[in-house]
Amino acid sequence: MKGEYRHTLDAKGRLFIPAKLREELGDSFVVTKGLDQCLFLYPQAAWNALEEKIRQLPMSKSRDLQRFFLSSASDVSVDKQGRIVVPTVLRGYAALDHDVTVIGVSERAEIWDTQAWDAYNGRLDAASIAQAMEDLGF
């Protein structure tokens, strides 16, 4: 998945999922808490793989991951207008109110409050990206 899409969340918590991302996420998928105060969206197969990896870890290493990702996970379905309902607890976690940005990030998509996304991007600079690329051998 890739791309950045700006949309609005309506009063009922419904959010339009861009068609390109819906193709990869499917008609139903999992939304859960993500890192950096955003939400993660996983196609069912990718979610199953993540859940299995967490389950295989020793309890001493996995309990925080289980509590963070699994307790907040919710199955969502796309309606005829291409929208999902973002659960209230997840809207609160990610501080989603009206303006949101949906991004594709490889195997998952993320939902960000647009101001938070812009602030996050404002912290990135060419030097830090170049260093990360070097560290990864690019």
Side-chain angles (χ1 to χ4, degrees), residues 29 33 42 61 92 111 123 138:
F29 48 90
K33 289 178 184 174
Y42 286 98
K61 295 184 180 197
I111 302 173
R123 292 191 306 264
F138 284 101

Side-chain angles (χ1 to χ4, degrees), residues 9-13 31-34 36-39 68 72 85-98 100 111-113 116:
L9 194 67
D10 72 13
K12 295 180 181 179
V31 60
T32 190
K33 289 178 184 174
D36 301 311
Q37 202 177 357
C38 72
L39 302 180
F68 185 78
S72 65
V85 175
V86 180
T88 304
V89 68
L90 293 176
R91 289 193 317 257
Y93 168 78
L96 303 178
D97 183 37
H98 188 263
V100 300
I111 302 173
W112 287 76
D113 169 78

